[in-house]
Amino acid sequence: MRVPFLDLKAQYQSIKEDIDLAIHDVLNKTSFLYGEHVSKFERDWAAVLGAKHCVAVGNGTDSLEILLKALEVGAGDEVIVPSHTWVSTAEAVVTVGATPVFVDTVDRLYTIDTTKIEKSITPRTKAIIPVHMCGLSADMDPIMRLASHYKLWVIEDCAQSPLAEYKGRKTGTIGHAGSFSFYPSKNLGAYGDAGAIVVNDDDLALKCRRIANHGRLHRNDHQIAGRNSRMDAMQAAILSVKLSHLQRWTDQRIGYAEVYRSMLDKRFNFTNPDPEYLHVYHLFIIQVDNREAVVAHLKDCGIETGIHYPTPVPLTLAFAGHSLERNLWDVSQKYSEKILSLPLYPELTVGQLEFVSNEINSLR
Ligand SMILES: *Cc1c(COP(=O)(O)O)cnc(C)c1O
């Protein structure tokens, strides 16, 4: 049985008619940037999350960077980020001229270890970027307490967590701002690059909008030196179609994660989220010894897997020079040798999930 890690073609086929109509609508209106498709998606995404503003941007890395700029985080400042994340979280910090300070993550949850944050705070610390890894919220209460005590901004990196909840609140609406990526493989994926900023503060929303559009809100009114980061209308129209399916797809992911959890041996150390967290399973991660051999064996059986991610960011060549020396990332370093992401998406069948589970349970 073949089980691809992801099947975007199957997803497209399931919604082809609406997607094709949406694309043709953009072509017919020839309004490729801004316009009604982008505004509609911004309104709808803000409404789904219960946020006041959504600013559509070019991708999820830009959204982090624009937020940092808008919050005036720059040279000489430090920003706390988790050691286990996609590189973007730290890249955005470096791009604005600030220094990422990496804090270890929790085994099996893969989110920042909030008990280790405070000792990394210095007078230079300006912000914390918790990442809701794999679709599971970071523990936001202690983060918000520290932020209010030390007067820090909190930007939630929600690239992997659309519709995830923490104590009844949607991720992206708990901190001062939320950052989303609609990279094609994300739970809500465009057919190219796209991202979004979500904020409640009116001024911050306007500032982000200016930065993303050459410093202006209106033609020729360049109030600050900005940049160009726009979501195009084609992506917005596609995302609007997909948004109407997102709740159902998310429920399916949650249901499939339950299937894995009920079938897989406990020795694979998968996440068992606290009921106060609504995990949306962008990724379902298990832990295995001899990962290389396991990956090869599963591949022989037709099962594709992934590793998200093999190296903690502060240990990559790119960030070794940027991170300050006062932290250790032994937990994320240790589990990163064992983590393995299993196929999990709505287009799978229960039969495929059972096949994967049985093959994994038979591992010695
Ligand atoms: C995907 C992702 C991003 C941003 O991705 P883009 O490719 O720039 O849209 C940021 N942070 C995390 C944790 C991600 O998974």
Side-chain angles (χ1 to χ4, degrees):
M1 189 184 286
R2 230 178 62 77
V3 189
F5 186 69
L6 193 63
D7 193 346
L8 291 179
K9 197 162 184 179
Q11 193 200 53
Y12 169 57
Q13 260 139 15
S14 74
I15 53 173
K16 184 176 185 314
E17 211 173 305
D18 288 343
I19 292 280
D20 292 358
L21 280 172
I23 290 174
H24 278 104
D25 191 44
V26 175
L27 293 175
N28 283 325
K29 291 184 171 131
T30 58
S31 160
F32 297 118
L33 294 166
Y34 311 108
E36 64 179 270
H37 296 99
V38 177
S39 308
K40 177 179 163 36
F41 179 73
E42 287 183 332
R43 273 194 313 276
D44 291 351
W45 189 233
V48 162
L49 298 175
K52 202 159 167 203
H53 304 282
C54 168
V55 180
V57 296
N59 59 67
T61 311
D62 282 0
S63 66
L64 290 168
E65 188 187 319
I66 291 164
L67 277 164
L68 288 165
K69 267 205 175 126
L71 295 168
E72 294 173 16
V73 176
D77 297 333
E78 292 174 6
V79 178
I80 290 176
V81 299
S83 51
H84 179 198
T85 179
W86 173 238
V87 287
S88 296
T89 320
E91 272 174 345
V93 174
V94 173
T95 312
V96 299
T99 305
V101 175
F102 295 96
V103 169
D104 210 357
T105 44
V106 183
D107 189 22
R108 271 218 288 186
L109 298 181
Y110 309 113
T111 49
I112 193 163
D113 186 339
T114 57
T115 66
K116 296 180 180 172
I117 294 177
E118 193 163 16
K119 64 175 189 289
S120 299
I121 295 174
T122 74
R124 289 167 178 264
T125 311
K126 283 285 166 61
I128 306 176
I129 311 182
V131 180
H132 307 309
M133 272 300 280
C134 309
L136 179 69
S137 178
D139 188 4
M140 291 302 290
D141 282 347
I143 293 173
M144 296 314 292
R145 267 199 300 275
L146 287 169
S148 103
H149 186 262
Y150 290 98
K151 304 213 174 348
L152 310 175
W153 300 114
V154 175
I155 300 172
E156 297 173 69
D157 184 342
C158 308
Q160 303 190 5
S161 71
L163 304 191
E165 291 178 15
Y166 174 78
K167 301 187 179 176
R169 284 177 298 163
K170 291 245 172 14
T171 57
T173 65
I174 304 163
H176 301 101
S179 167
F180 289 85
S181 163
F182 306 117
Y183 182 80
S185 65
K186 299 279 155 88
N187 288 20
L188 178 59
Y191 288 173
D193 276 317
I197 289 164
V198 167
V199 293
N200 285 325
D201 186 273
D202 300 344
D203 292 337
L204 182 58
L206 280 183
K207 201 162 176 193
C208 290
R209 212 175 268 292
R210 278 205 179 90
I211 292 170
N213 184 21
H214 304 295
R216 67 184 172 177
L217 295 175
H218 310 288
R219 192 178 290 269
N220 298 328
D221 180 25
H222 304 274
Q223 301 202 357
I224 50 175
R227 50 169 295 172
N228 174 4
S229 180
R230 297 182 285 230
M231 181 192 289
D232 65 72
M234 203 80 87
Q235 302 309 332
I238 289 162
L239 286 170
S240 286
V241 172
K242 287 192 164 197
L243 182 52
S244 64
H245 300 279
L246 184 61
Q247 187 62 58
R248 179 172 54 87
W249 286 339
T250 303
D251 292 344
Q252 248 156 339
R253 282 178 184 272
I254 294 168
Y256 280 178
E258 275 312 316
V259 173
Y260 272 145
R261 256 206 297 276
S262 65
M263 291 207 66
L264 289 169
D265 284 357
K266 298 271 177 291
R267 67 187 157 112
F268 295 109
N269 230 9
F270 44 81
T271 312
N272 277 312
D274 186 297
E276 289 200 301
Y277 293 67
L278 182 74
H279 194 325
V280 295
Y281 295 98
H282 174 57
L283 297 169
F284 190 95
I285 292 183
I286 61 170
Q287 296 181 359
V288 294
D289 299 320
N290 304 319
R291 183 171 58 195
E292 223 173 293
V294 170
V295 168
H297 168 73
L298 292 174
K299 193 163 174 235
D300 286 343
C301 306
I303 300 167
E304 285 175 13
T305 52
I307 301 170
H308 303 87
Y309 303 93
T311 313
V313 182
L315 301 176
T316 61
L317 204 53
F319 286 92
H322 284 288
S323 48
L324 303 181
E325 289 300 320
R326 57 178 180 268
N327 277 299
L328 289 171
W329 312 285
D330 34 341
V331 174
S332 52
Q333 194 174 356
K334 198 156 163 220
Y335 71 61
S336 61
E337 290 165 16
K338 301 183 171 197
I339 53 177
L340 186 66
S341 309
L342 302 185
L344 180 82
Y345 46 93
E347 293 75 25
L348 286 172
T349 63
V350 175
Q352 283 174 306
L353 295 174
E354 287 172 351
F355 174 66
V356 173
S357 304
N358 289 334
E359 283 303 333
I360 288 173
N361 286 340
S362 71
L363 293 171
R364 285 291 127 235

